[in-house]
Amino acid sequence: MKKYGVNELRKMFLEYFEGKDHLVLNSASLVPHNDNSLLLINSGMAPLKPYFTGQVVPPKKRAASCQKCIRTTDVENVGKTDRHGTFFEMLGNFSFGDYFKKESLAWTWEFLTQIVGIDAKRLYPSVYLEDDEAFAIWEHEIGIAPERIYRFGKEDNFWEHGSGPCGPCSEVYFDRGEKYGCGSPDCTVGCDCDRYVEVWNNVFTQFDGDGKGNYTELEQKNIDTGMGLERLALAVQDVASIFDIDTVRALREKICTLADKEYGAEDGQDISIRIVTDHIRSATFMISDGIMPTNEGRGYVLRRIIRRAARHGRLLGIAGIFLAKLSDAVIEGSKGGYPELFEKKDFIFNVLNQEEMKFNNTIDQGLAILGEMEEKMAQDGVKTLSGEQAFKLYDTFGFPIDLTVEILEEKGYCVDMDGFSAFMNEQKDKARKARKGTNYMGADATVYEALDPALRSVFVGYEKLDCRSDIIALTTESEVTEALTDGQTGTIITASTPFYATGGGQNGDYGMIKSAEGEFAVKDTIKIAGDKIGHLGKVTKGMFKAGDAAELLVNHNSRYDICKNHSATHLLQKALRTVLGTHVEQAGSYVDKERLRFDFSHFAAMTADEIARAEQLVNEKVAENIEVVITEMSLDAARSAGAMALFGEKYGDSVRVVKMGDSVELCGGTHVGNTGAITAFKIISETGIAAGVRRIEALTGRGVFEHYASIERILNEVAASLKSTPLSVKDKAEALLNELKQLKSENESLKSKAAKDALGDVGDHVIDIEGVKLLAVKVDGVDMNGLRDLGDQQKAKLITGVILIISAADGKVNLMAMADETAQAKGAHAGNLIKAIAPLVGGGGGGRPGMAQAGGKNTAGIEAALKEAEKVLREQVGSFV
Ligand code: ATP
Ligand code: MG
């Protein structure tokens, strides 16, 4: 049997089905699109669901793909079995109401036995218990002896998720040989051990189930098959595990080299080697699909996988940051099939490095604390870590709970998870209360809970900025009320309103509500649970009561400013993707009338040049005066129009698509009619706000002019105080700096001369100690730099020697000692000399043998110190042999 490599097998599979008239689809992203039921794509059919349900018409009735998959449900298996990874590639062929069992099973068999040449004697099909049709195909059409075909029950061979399309499966198992068996006398196909590995699963969606066990035949019958590429390679290459197939093995060996470990050494470390191998694959692919490590959802899956890999790497003894190095091997092995890996290489390395460093900082501390907790448990004979302690590790040391559980489990302990959850909920509760407390009259203020749930408000502000409507409810700061009177602050709710309520990153509108009897200044507009819109503000005249007819007037200027900022945010996002790359994803945004803020994923700080280019791109779009086209359409239509979904938002069936030239986004906000209305765009800051997340703040229109006006004002003021003009202020400043530099240098040489004068003639102070000359003198008013200069000057005058100069300056004492090489050869040591005498002037210090300095506070001790120096040097030289 020829041992095809992983990359060859992928190609052979897709070409085979292309030859059977299938449309070959690219792997979809690991991040599901428009599917909230899944965190990560876990099978080849997952991204194709709309074709199976009939929601979307497939481009062709036959398709085949190689889909990257993550299965977090298998994380516990990884390392322990030979066949599970959290990451794997799934090969699949699909029929959307086209061919059915007969063709699919025949192709399955042909591909395995003829195309890649696996020995048919090692393959065993299985069918669903009641699926005689499939059994007959295997037996009569394909020619497998009936005793080699296994029948399994629903749990293995029936695919069903609640109600809806479902059906029986037929699998093919590969027998790896007796040595992999569990040894049990009933070990056979279907055994949970690693001898018979499931390679390929054919799912026949032929029924519509009602979820209660009643099935009706579907008119459109589908085929959905899945074969793990790694498992196929395992069978074809006939190796011990998916960690031994060519591409994965190369990665595994790199890990062994880094850890200086041998795989298969039976020292219990193979599991860690396998875990690191698998997890680095998962992490690399997840990051390349734009997932960032965070504390929830798929971001948390990634964080957990990275941290697990980092920990097992440490268990193997790998020192320092290592994940990016391994990721490189993943990219090398898979870039042929997944070119995006190579394109995003630097980005992937950066994310891994940052996360690993962050983790390394907490892990030692956390492990130490956990170690103490374990010790205490052992002493007390307790087997369960309390919820409170687990929570402390999590809350104080950022130690992920599943890591705590995993580490303890390895040692036979467990964690009180209910207790942990209770602490966790308590913390969340506290946080929520804190929010409510500070966010008075915010959208979650409790006062709104007392409003009649039947009340609704309609937003009419896309089309107009004023309207008439009736007041349907009012609240004070603390309760629902019938009326608000002059001077009172509160909330007015009307049946319809042109005021935009804060949401989607756009600040609510400001303005005025008028009635026959009063005026109300609107300071903010918010969404209130149950489709209500609340106008927050203060009665400035008269009074308002429920049922009053009112006129609602949005402040035009502030609304226009908000629109400019919001539209510019869309242009900025597009510009950033052009300048920095398509890994840029929006991570949040906020616009109000003053400015816009845009957060996005990107690793390094932007360079001045990148900022300038992004700014210029936006200004070009502004100058092109592009019409802003806003349309309502179905989410699918929007996606095919190229709309970028906004971060973390959920949409109903119909979405609002905002298009400005080649910027297309789903957005519920308000916008200018033409990009020209933005007038001008200026980035005023670019900063990092979290690992891998940057924030840009920028201005538009009036804001830009005010910004430049204030810069101009400052420039004028600077020019005036330098007695210059704005245009010549640069020359003037340079001239002044030069002058300053010159003065500084003059000052230095004057100081040095003064120090020399202070020392006077030092010849008298030189004494000889056993052939080493010592100059020990006191000067006045010389700082440390001056002392060093002095020392250097005197050094030239002594033949062999030690120089000690002590200066009293500003009530402080500076000491400096130097010993030249010949003196050192005779035992002199400037550092020890200073150390010994510094206490006499109330100081401390030391240094190298050739040069040392110290400071002190006691000027009265200077004479004593000088005397002491003589004694110390005598000891140094005398004791030297
Ligand atoms: P198993 O029982 O071995 O976990 P499964 O029944 O979960 O397999 P399916 O859901 O039928 O597998 O997925 C289809 C194919 O995908 C399998 O036949 C197998 O080749 C592959 N596969 C499934 N899970 C993994 C995994 N964790 N790692 C590698 N390949 C996998
Ligand atoms: Mg499974």
Side-chain angles (χ1 to χ4, degrees), residues 71 74 83-85 88 90 171 198-201 226-228 231:
R71 284 200 183 173
D74 281 337
R83 64 184 202 278
H84 289 101
F88 64 96
M90 197 188 283
E171 303 173 326
E198 177 196 324
V199 175
W200 201 338
N201 191 2
M227 165 162 64
R231 293 208 190 161

Side-chain angles (χ1 to χ4, degrees), residues 651-711:
Y651 297 90
D653 279 334
S654 169
V655 294
R656 203 162 167 263
V657 176
V658 178
K659 187 171 182 316
M660 313 174 197
D662 49 9
S663 152
V664 185
E665 285 189 45
L666 304 189
C667 177
T670 63
H671 289 274
V672 293
N674 271 285
T675 57
I678 297 169
T679 327
F681 174 80
K682 173 79 195 147
I683 294 176
I684 51 169
S685 75
E686 192 273 346
T687 48
I689 53 166
V693 184
R694 311 292 306 171
R695 166 170 294 174
I696 280 184
E697 293 196 304
L699 305 171
T700 63
R702 186 179 49 76
V704 176
F705 297 114
E706 284 173 3
H707 175 71
Y708 284 125
S710 77
I711 290 179

